[in-house]
Amino acid sequence: MRFNFVSRKNISLFFLLCSSVLLVVLSVFSKAIVLDTTHLWSILLTVELFSVFVSVSIVVILFQRTFIAKSNFSNTLIFCFTAIAMIDYFQLHSYPKVLGDVAQGSMLNAVFYYISSRIIELMAMAAIAFHLQLSGRKVFWLLAGILCAIAIGYIGLKHLNNLAASAYLLSSLADLKTNIECILLAANSVLAYVFIRQYQTHNKDKYLYFAGSCVAMALCSLALITQAGPSNATLLISYLFQIMAAVFIYAAIYWSELKRPYHLAKIAAEQAHKKDLELQSIMSSIPMGVIRLDKSCNFLYINPYMQRMSSYIDASLIGKNVRDYSPQSVSTLLIPYVEQAFLDNKVEFRYEYTDHDQQVVYREVTLLPEKNLEGSVESVLYLAADTTKKETAELNKDKALKETNKLRKALNEHAIVAFTDVRGVITSVNDKFCQISQYSKDELIGSTHQIVNSNYHPSSFFQDLWQTIASGNIWHGEVCNKAKDGSLYWVNTTIVPFMDNDGKISEYIAVRANITKRKLAETAARRLAYYDELTALPNRRSLKDRLEKVFKGAEDSALNINALLLIDLDNFKDINDSLGHVAGDELLKQVAHRLQQLGTSSLFAARLGGDEFVLLMTSVGQNKHSACVEVAKKAEQIRASLSDIYLIEKQTVSTTPSIGVALFDGSEYNASEFLKQADIAMYQSKKLGRNQVSFFDPELQTQLDKRNVMQSELVQAITRQEFILYYQPIYNQQQTMIGCEALIRWNNQELGMVSPAQFIPQAEQSNLILDIGHWVLHTACQQLSSWALDPNRSHLTVAVNVSARQLQQVDFVESVKRAIEQHGTNPNRLKLEITESMLQENIEETIQSMKTLKDLGIRFSLDDFGTGFSSLNYLTKLPIDTLKIDCSFVDNMINSQEDAAVVAMILSLSSALKLDVVAEGVETQEQLAFLMDKGCESFQGYLLGKPMPADAIDGD
């Protein structure tokens, strides 16, 4: 065990341990010590009173503890030492009976109180050693200790006196007391060992004091059991051990609860004083004026620098008001800012005033609110910097610049001037150069004129220029340069070489005049007629002229294969919508630039409009096979180039081209036809997944022709009454028909019976779907009204499919109402079927329209459920009555666990939402049995009934 005997606490502890050893020695010779009974009474009374005082002091000290985290530890000691103090007090009143010649029952009371007190004390030490804590308020455990002591006192007064006359009890009392003392000796020894181990582990002095207390209590018990009949001196020594134990506990609690906190507070005060001195030193040397103001704008603190900086502020103003000792102009300006700072705002401002010497003084001030512990602003810190020198310098600088600018303005108004050294490095430029080039002087000086090179002129142009001026001659010409933002400008340039004294060229001066407007005027007409304004590429008219030249040249030469490449940017609309039209235009410019870089004498690039570009390749081969190989190679090169990343407004943008190729020779003269073929091939690339190169195939033309024929016939189908409504029955579990679904058929005189899968998608791409939907709705309503007169079919419902285009029409609700009213249809027998894909746009407007029709009695079905993307959140909001399980799930559910699970899920979901369910595409008995077993209510499919004319529906 390690002890630090340098510590004053440990020196005291060592002294107490030595005293304990001395008392042990005295206890050995206690038989030889004879004390008068009266003297012993006085000593014991004093010792017992001291014991009570120590116990009470411990309780009082623990009541001062402020650390809430330790309150449970305090409760343990408060409870135990409150009880010990009162029990020792009760024992004090039993001494006359013990010392006098009185009844033996008094001895029983004294022993009872002594044992009770020591057992509680042992419990207290055990609770401390093993960290047993009592939760709650301190006063409750104080009252509990008092009640415990009163209970023990009551037992000692009321119940033990009746047993005093028993000689047997008194003889056994001695043995009992000896046994208890042995237990106390052993327990206190164990606790002393535990506390010593805790001291070694945690190195806290209180554990050493607690160990000393346990040792003293053990010695007390040892002193009482070593003598067969304890003498008065032995009794006194045991009580001294008992007092010593209490003193040890008092010392531990006094140090941890009073002396150590005060010691820490003293150290904190000393550190705070040291910090205060350091702060004062910093505030004295900081090169900034510092003032503290209270809410009344009284000075609370002024640092020395502020006193030196200001002619009217010194330390004598502390406690006085700013308004009384500041220039009126300053105080009038300052007070509103100070009031704003007291509202917990940081305030920054500048001001100027004239001091006593009539000098203008400039200040930069920051006001910082200072909060107290409650979080309210109680003072404001005023930080001021003297910026007089800086402001004066700035004023002088501005004055000089104004004079210089007058001279420069005159020069800049006359010409664009630049100086270079013999290597062409710019050494000086005037403002007009910076203005027209959009570069700053710092960017231009040290660079060459390559910084404004537009790449408009060929390299031979500048070779001639340098050859002229390097020979000492003046060069004059028109140059196209590029500004910083990429725009081009034209200058009429004169470059003059300057010679040094040795006749060598030392520098060049270039004097330029802006002729951009004139050059633009010269080219505007031609550009408007033949070039695209955005990309500067040739336009459709220019392409037509180029094709005419190709055809004309082919007449006088051998036949060569030419190629038209039509390029369309994939997802350009998405880029335009997400990044804006400015970014979209920039993308088109960069695409055009890349196409120009790929250009050769045999390759001509043009923009047709939008995101469509055309490349004309001439003389790519003398037969189609070799031409295809050459064009495919070039087309792939173009596709790769246009697929590279684009940098637009510091953002990377990706797009890919879909390219269609049409080959032709000079034997035919039809530019429009070739463009059409290239367009067909381009759309084939789109269908193949985009970012593809496709050559025109005559089969594509055939398909296009068929599509055009169908479109033409579809326009007249309603007028010719070629549409027919078929009705497919819907049955319940009892195989009773409960309704049917209206399915359109088209019987065209030219095309025959056309499947809806062919003409409906084509109709949806145009407004024809609206006319067709209108016809279907009115025809179905008319049929419902007709069936209403037939008892066998009046109960049937008719489901009508509604297209997305119909549902999004502003007058959709009104058109349905008109159809019902026109034909006198019972709205309760009409069902409108929508699909999941229709719920992905304008969902709130869709729900509102459906609710309006729902109020009329019309019911809604959600068709093809499970095949699209439906939000369950919206599903609960939609006013639908029926879910229709898509036939793709029904078809595979017998052999696919996944599809079977989906069907079961839809049935469970519809049951939870209290919706009807119709299974589509039921074609086998096995499917029907499976669905009925899963609880499906209604069925539709070829097993039960195929689509049929209205007359074939019998309603059974």
Side-chain angles (χ1 to χ4, degrees):
M1 182 173 64
R2 303 182 302 276
F3 294 98
N4 180 12
F5 289 103
V6 177
S7 171
R8 185 169 58 185
K9 299 183 293 297
N10 289 337
I11 292 175
S12 300
L13 183 60
F14 178 71
F15 173 75
L16 291 173
L17 290 175
C18 291
S19 301
S20 301
V21 174
L22 179 61
L23 290 175
V24 173
V25 174
L26 290 176
S27 68
V28 174
F29 298 98
S30 61
K31 289 294 185 180
I33 301 174
V34 179
L35 293 176
D36 180 72
T37 302
T38 302
H39 292 158
L40 178 62
W41 158 246
S42 299
I43 294 172
L44 292 179
L45 180 61
T46 301
V47 171
E48 197 63 40
L49 284 174
F50 182 73
S51 175
V52 173
F53 170 76
V54 171
S55 298
V56 172
S57 298
I58 291 172
V59 174
V60 172
I61 290 172
L62 290 171
F63 255 89
Q64 307 308 314
R65 169 174 280 181
T66 59
F67 297 105
I68 298 176
K70 298 182 179 180
S71 61
N72 294 337
F73 179 78
S74 301
N75 291 340
T76 303
L77 295 179
I78 287 172
F79 170 77
C80 293
F81 280 97
T82 299
I84 290 171
M86 293 188 65
I87 294 172
D88 285 346
Y89 179 76
F90 295 153
Q91 185 179 359
L92 181 66
H93 287 281
S94 67
Y95 282 143
K97 296 180 182 181
V98 175
L99 300 175
D101 187 13
V102 295
Q104 297 289 347
S106 298
M107 176 62 74
L108 183 62
N109 285 349
V111 171
F112 175 71
Y113 292 141
Y114 171 80
I115 292 174
S116 299
S117 178
R118 299 294 72 77
I119 290 175
I120 293 175
E121 187 172 5
L122 179 64
M123 291 169 57
M125 299 310 294
I128 295 173
F130 297 104
H131 307 288
L132 302 177
Q133 300 178 347
L134 300 175
S135 60
R137 299 180 60 181
K138 298 177 190 176
V139 67
F140 292 157
W141 291 108
L142 175 67
L143 295 175
I146 293 173
L147 293 175
C148 179
I150 291 174
I152 292 173
Y154 176 78
I155 294 173
L157 290 175
K158 298 298 182 179
H159 296 284
L160 294 181
N161 290 337
N162 298 331
L163 303 176
S166 173
Y168 174 75
L169 179 61
L170 292 175
S171 63
S172 62
L173 178 64
D175 295 335
L176 175 62
K177 183 176 180 301
T178 300
N179 293 335
I180 291 176
E181 292 293 353
C182 291
I183 294 172
L184 292 174
L185 171 62
N188 279 295
S189 298
V190 171
L191 290 175
Y193 173 76
V194 172
F195 281 123
I196 289 173
R197 294 293 297 174
Q198 291 179 346
Y199 172 74
Q200 291 176 322
T201 302
H202 303 287
N203 196 25
K204 292 185 178 180
D205 295 332
K206 65 179 181 181
Y207 292 119
L208 200 56
Y209 285 123
F210 287 143
S213 175
C214 292
V215 170
M217 288 304 300
L219 292 175
C220 175
S221 299
L222 180 64
L224 292 175
I225 64 178
T226 52
Q227 304 294 334
S231 64
N232 291 344
T234 303
L235 186 62
L236 176 61
I237 291 171
S238 67
Y239 271 89
L240 290 176
F241 278 126
Q242 179 182 341
I243 296 303
M244 186 179 296
V247 170
F248 273 117
I249 296 175
Y250 177 84
I253 295 176
Y254 173 78
W255 171 252
S256 62
E257 301 301 326
L258 291 181
K259 189 172 182 180
R260 185 171 179 271
Y262 285 125
H263 176 67
L264 294 176
K266 181 180 178 182
I267 293 174
E270 292 174 352
Q271 291 177 345
H273 180 67
K274 181 179 178 182
K275 295 292 184 183
D276 187 58
L277 293 177
E278 292 176 354
L279 180 60
Q280 291 292 338
S281 176
I282 293 172
M283 296 304 293
S284 298
S285 58
I286 189 172
M288 177 177 284
V290 180
I291 298 175
R292 292 182 69 231
L293 300 171
D294 64 12
K295 291 187 176 180
S296 300
C297 290
N298 296 320
F299 292 101
L300 299 177
Y301 172 78
I302 304 172
N303 77 328
Y305 188 85
M306 188 68 206
Q307 299 175 39
R308 295 192 299 270
M309 189 172 68
S310 178
S311 60
Y312 62 87
I313 293 180
D314 55 44
S316 64
L317 297 182
I318 294 178
K320 298 179 181 179
N321 198 277
V322 170
R323 300 178 181 86
D324 301 331
Y325 295 92
S326 300
Q328 184 176 0
S329 61
V330 175
S331 61
T332 303
L333 173 71
L334 177 62
I335 298 304
Y337 286 122
V338 173
E339 292 175 350
Q340 186 177 355
F342 270 105
L343 296 177
D344 197 12
N345 297 313
K346 177 183 177 182
V347 182
E348 295 179 339
F349 62 95
R350 297 181 180 182
Y351 71 95
E352 62 181 78
Y353 71 96
T354 304
D355 63 6
H356 300 307
D357 298 329
Q358 300 304 310
Q359 298 293 324
V360 179
V361 178
Y362 297 90
R363 296 279 190 267
E364 286 187 358
V365 178
T366 300
L367 298 180
L368 300 175
E370 294 183 308
K371 297 182 180 180
N372 55 22
L373 296 177
E374 288 75 23
S376 60
V377 180
E378 66 176 8
S379 61
V380 167
L381 198 62
Y382 172 102
L383 305 177
D386 187 358
T387 60
T388 303
K389 292 183 179 180
K390 175 184 175 183
E391 293 291 342
T392 303
E394 288 291 335
L395 289 174
N396 293 334
K397 178 182 176 182
D398 289 342
K399 183 178 179 181
L401 286 175
K402 287 179 181 179
E403 294 177 354
T404 305
N405 286 338
K406 290 179 181 179
L407 299 175
R408 289 181 176 178
K409 183 177 180 181
L411 182 61
N412 289 340
E413 289 294 331
H414 176 69
I416 303 166
V417 182
F419 290 83
T420 70
D421 61 15
V422 292
R423 298 173 301 161
V425 176
I426 300 173
T427 57
S428 178
V429 294
N430 71 340
D431 292 340
K432 207 167 186 66
F433 196 127
C434 297
Q435 180 182 5
I436 195 169
S437 68
Q438 301 176 8
Y439 288 97
S440 66
K441 286 188 177 182
D442 292 338
E443 292 174 306
L444 291 170
I445 294 175
S447 301
T448 67
H449 279 83
Q450 185 67 28
I451 194 173
V452 293
N453 187 1
S454 64
N455 292 321
Y456 178 85
H457 304 284
S459 58
S460 59
F461 177 86
F462 294 103
Q463 289 174 1
D464 294 340
L465 183 153
W466 274 103
Q467 185 177 357
T468 300
I469 61 176
S471 62
N473 297 317
I474 297 175
W475 183 89
H476 181 79
E478 296 179 351
V479 181
C480 179
N481 288 333
K482 181 172 70 174
K484 188 176 182 178
D485 65 353
S487 62
L488 301 179
Y489 64 92
W490 284 85
V491 286
N492 193 342
T493 304
T494 299
I495 303 177
V496 180
F498 279 80
M499 307 294 183
D500 59 15
N501 295 332
D502 297 331
K504 295 182 179 180
I505 299 174
S506 60
E507 62 180 342
Y508 299 101
I509 179 172
V511 181
R512 301 176 176 89
N514 187 359
I515 59 170
T516 304
K517 291 183 179 179
R518 177 170 64 82
K519 296 294 289 186
L520 292 177
E522 292 175 356
T523 58
R526 184 174 183 274
R527 185 170 295 277
L528 288 174
Y530 290 95
Y531 289 87
D532 176 58
E533 184 177 1
L534 177 65
T535 63
L537 287 177
N539 57 16
R540 185 184 294 269
R541 180 176 179 181
S542 183
L543 175 65
K544 181 180 179 182
D545 290 348
R546 178 58 66 95
L547 284 172
E548 288 179 352
K549 293 179 181 179
V550 170
F551 294 132
K552 185 177 180 180
E555 296 176 359
D556 303 325
S557 61
L559 292 179
N560 283 312
I561 303 299
N562 307 299
L564 271 177
L565 284 72
L566 182 62
I567 303 170
D568 184 87
L569 300 182
D570 299 329
N571 300 319
F572 176 75
K573 184 178 183 301
D574 296 337
I575 296 173
N576 220 16
D577 292 342
S578 60
L579 299 181
H581 293 289
V582 175
D585 290 346
E586 178 60 27
L587 175 61
L588 294 175
K589 290 179 182 178
Q590 293 189 25
V591 170
H593 179 68
R594 294 185 185 184
L595 292 176
Q596 285 176 324
Q597 289 182 323
L598 294 171
T600 62
S601 59
S602 61
L603 192 148
F604 177 81
R607 181 191 178 202
L608 292 184
D611 59 334
E612 286 190 340
F613 297 85
V614 171
L615 288 178
L616 171 62
M617 297 178 63
T618 58
S619 302
V620 292
Q622 294 186 351
N623 57 71
K624 286 195 174 183
H625 180 268
S626 63
C628 282
V629 173
E630 183 65 26
V631 173
K633 181 179 178 181
K634 191 63 177 180
E636 183 59 30
Q637 180 185 355
I638 294 169
R639 189 198 62 79
S641 175
L642 298 185
S643 298
D644 283 346
I645 297 297
Y646 296 85
L647 182 61
I648 298 176
E649 296 180 353
K650 298 181 180 180
Q651 298 187 58
T652 57
V653 177
S654 297
T655 186
T656 55
S658 292
I659 303 175
V661 182
L663 301 178
F664 64 96
D665 56 35
S667 61
E668 299 178 73
Y669 183 79
N670 193 335
S672 298
E673 183 64 25
F674 299 142
L675 279 173
K676 181 179 178 181
Q677 292 178 359
D679 187 65
I680 294 172
M682 183 272 292
Y683 275 103
Q684 181 66 16
S685 295
K686 293 281 189 183
K687 290 182 180 179
L688 292 176
R690 303 180 180 182
N691 194 20
Q692 303 283 336
V693 177
S694 299
F695 282 76
F696 172 75
D697 185 349
E699 180 62 27
L700 293 177
Q701 184 66 53
T702 302
Q703 294 178 7
L704 180 62
D705 293 340
K706 289 182 178 179
R707 174 185 173 86
N708 293 336
V709 170
M710 181 179 293
Q711 184 74 15
S712 177
E713 293 295 321
L714 197 57
V715 171
Q716 304 180 54
I718 296 178
T719 305
R720 295 174 179 172
Q721 298 183 355
E722 294 179 346
F723 289 128
I724 307 169
L725 272 191
Y726 275 45
Y727 299 88
Q728 185 171 22
I730 300 174
Y731 293 89
N732 58 16
Q733 289 185 344
Q734 290 74 36
Q735 296 191 13
T736 299
M737 185 186 301
I738 58 175
C740 54
E741 179 181 358
L743 301 173
I744 191 170
R745 296 292 185 266
W746 181 23
N747 188 10
N748 180 258
Q749 59 184 358
E750 295 291 336
L751 304 175
M753 188 67 74
V754 183
S755 169
Q758 291 180 291
F759 70 86
I760 290 296
Q762 188 166 341
E764 287 180 341
Q765 294 176 7
S766 63
N767 289 329
L768 289 175
I769 192 64
L770 299 178
D771 296 332
I772 295 174
H774 180 269
W775 180 86
V776 171
L777 179 61
H778 277 262
T779 303
C781 288
Q782 184 179 10
Q783 189 61 59
L784 273 173
S785 299
S786 175
W787 284 347
L789 303 176
D790 185 350
N792 294 328
R793 294 184 286 190
S794 61
H795 67 285
L796 297 179
T797 62
V798 173
V800 177
N801 290 285
V802 177
S803 71
R805 294 282 295 275
Q806 282 180 273
L807 192 61
Q808 293 171 6
Q809 293 299 304
V810 177
D811 63 342
F812 173 70
V813 173
E814 293 301 322
S815 66
V816 176
K817 288 181 179 180
R818 286 195 298 269
I820 293 174
E821 293 172 358
Q822 179 178 343
H823 300 287
T825 305
N826 182 358
N828 294 318
R829 297 299 173 189
L830 178 63
K831 281 189 177 182
L832 299 182
E833 289 195 359
I834 61 175
T835 61
E836 287 186 276
S837 60
M838 297 165 61
L839 304 178
Q840 298 182 23
E841 295 183 4
N842 303 322
I843 182 65
E844 297 298 338
E845 291 81 353
T846 299
I847 292 175
Q848 186 59 45
S849 298
M850 293 173 66
K851 286 183 177 179
T852 303
L853 295 175
K854 179 84 170 182
D855 293 339
L856 299 177
I858 297 173
R859 289 178 284 177
F860 285 89
S861 298
L862 187 59
D863 199 9
D864 301 337
F865 184 71
T867 61
F869 174 78
S870 291
S871 169
L872 293 181
N873 179 40
Y874 281 123
L875 186 61
T876 59
K877 296 180 180 180
L878 287 170
I880 59 175
D881 304 277
T882 305
L883 289 180
K884 300 193 75 172
I885 304 175
D886 188 66
C887 58
S888 61
F889 298 118
V890 175
D891 186 47
N892 298 321
M893 66 184 180
I894 303 300
N895 300 319
S896 171
Q897 294 182 354
E898 291 78 6
D899 288 344
V902 171
V903 171
M905 181 274 294
I906 295 174
L907 292 171
S908 176
L909 179 63
S910 62
S911 176
L913 297 178
K914 298 180 179 180
L915 301 175
D916 296 333
V917 180
V918 176
E920 296 181 305
V922 180
E923 298 184 356
T924 66
Q925 286 291 344
E926 188 178 9
Q927 292 172 346
L928 180 63
F930 180 87
L931 290 168
M932 293 182 67
D933 181 63
K934 294 297 182 180
C936 186
E937 301 170 350
S938 305
F939 314 92
Q940 177 181 348
Y942 277 29
L943 175 67
L944 302 171
K946 297 180 180 180
M948 60 189 73
D951 295 341
I953 300 294
D954 58 10
D956 294 335

